[in-house]
Amino acid sequence: EADIYQTPRYLVIGTGKKITLECSQTMGHDKMYWYQQDPGMELHLIHYSYGVNSTEKGDLSSESTVSRIRTEHFPLTLESARPSHTSQYLCASTLTGYEQYFGPGTRLTVT
Amino acid sequence: DAKTTQPPSMDCAEGRAANLPCNHSTISGNEYVYWYRQIHSQGPQYIIHGLKNNETNEMASLIITEDRKSSTLILPHATLRDTAVYYCIVRDAGGTSYGKLTFGQGTILTVHP
């Protein structure tokens, strides 16, 4: 079993609130990723990091931001949540690039 | 990155082998074939990857054609728990795309009793 954790698992929040989705891994992986997936739709890469102080935008434009201050921690922040941000957010990490370990995801609903 | 084509859905009887095809006719020499699956909106799970040789692990076998334009993922004895969306992904393992995966629609595999 992969040791990658996401909290909260479910979040319902009102429009305009600031939220942070947490992602942590205990495997010492340098590379971490955030994906977004709407129900029944494809996963899209929105952010990635190759190590501490490294963050890049992914293939899908997102209003969220990320930080990587510690190897094990890769939080995602939305400064002002909107209903269009309602989605599932999945975090992943890898050491080699071949085998990515995914967390259980956070289901975000913005009302 | 090479584009992949997979059938949208497949059925398989429990206990039988499930053979999931993937076409990647534009694959380049340094691109790997990866397979992941996603069970009911959980986080995707890595299954196997290969470059040109056939590969086998405890979960599945990966058969890549000699010209590398297509591959087949084989689940030798499918169970109900193998019902999932299976993604075939082709990606360069290094360079600027290191580790970035592009998930398509995948194949919905339904294993029935």
Side-chain angles (χ1 to χ4, degrees):
Chain A
E1 287 294 320
D3 296 324
I4 181 163
Y5 310 99
Q6 290 187 245
T7 56
R9 292 290 309 278
Y10 302 91
L11 178 61
V12 180
I13 202 162
T15 297
K17 300 291 187 182
K18 177 180 179 178
I19 60 171
T20 297
L21 308 184
E22 302 288 348
C23 176
S24 295
Q25 50 93 7
T26 58
M27 298 171 282
H29 290 170
D30 289 335
K31 302 164 193 66
M32 297 189 72
Y33 310 84
W34 276 103
Y35 294 84
Q36 182 177 344
Q37 184 177 33
D38 294 333
M41 305 298 286
E42 300 177 23
L43 288 93
H44 293 284
L45 180 70
I46 53 174
H47 298 284
Y48 62 99
S49 168
Y50 289 162
V52 171
N53 295 324
S54 152
T55 60
E56 301 288 344
K57 295 281 191 182
D59 300 325
L60 179 70
S61 177
S62 174
E63 294 171 344
S64 59
T65 59
V66 292
S67 62
R68 190 86 183 278
I69 299 173
R70 303 198 315 265
T71 298
E72 63 271 21
H73 196 212
F74 191 38
L76 180 145
T77 299
L78 278 164
E79 290 293 333
S80 179
R82 293 207 298 265
S84 60
H85 297 140
T86 294
S87 189
Q88 182 178 32
Y89 294 84
L90 290 153
C91 180
S93 73
T94 184
L95 183 63
T96 64
Y98 303 123
E99 182 175 353
Q100 289 191 16
Y101 294 93
F102 281 79
T106 294
R107 289 191 181 274
L108 172 66
T109 302
V110 183
T111 61
Chain B
D1 300 317
K3 181 178 170 57
T4 62
T5 303
Q6 300 178 252
S9 64
M10 294 183 65
D11 289 331
C12 178
E14 190 176 19
R16 294 295 190 102
N19 298 290
L20 294 105
C22 179
N23 286 319
H24 31 78
S25 57
T26 60
I27 192 170
S28 62
N30 59 345
E31 288 183 316
Y32 285 72
V33 180
Y34 303 81
W35 282 85
Y36 281 75
R37 72 180 182 184
Q38 187 174 26
I39 298 173
H40 192 53
S41 295
Q42 296 176 18
Q45 177 188 23
Y46 164 85
I47 301 173
I48 200 167
H49 76 277
L51 183 62
K52 55 183 178 181
N53 297 322
N54 298 337
E55 303 287 344
T56 296
N57 63 20
E58 65 278 5
M59 289 184 66
S61 294
L62 174 61
I63 309 297
I64 303 174
T65 58
E66 192 168 342
D67 63 7
R68 303 210 321 125
K69 292 180 185 285
S70 66
S71 60
T72 301
L73 179 75
I74 301 172
L75 308 178
H77 306 286
T79 70
L80 299 179
R81 288 176 294 180
D82 291 323
T83 292
V85 181
Y86 286 78
Y87 299 99
C88 170
I89 301 166
V90 172
R91 197 86 196 203
D92 187 345
T96 57
S97 65
Y98 194 40
K100 289 167 60 182
L101 300 177
T102 301
F103 290 83
Q105 297 281 2
T107 296
I108 300 171
L109 175 68
T110 303
V111 181
H112 51 84

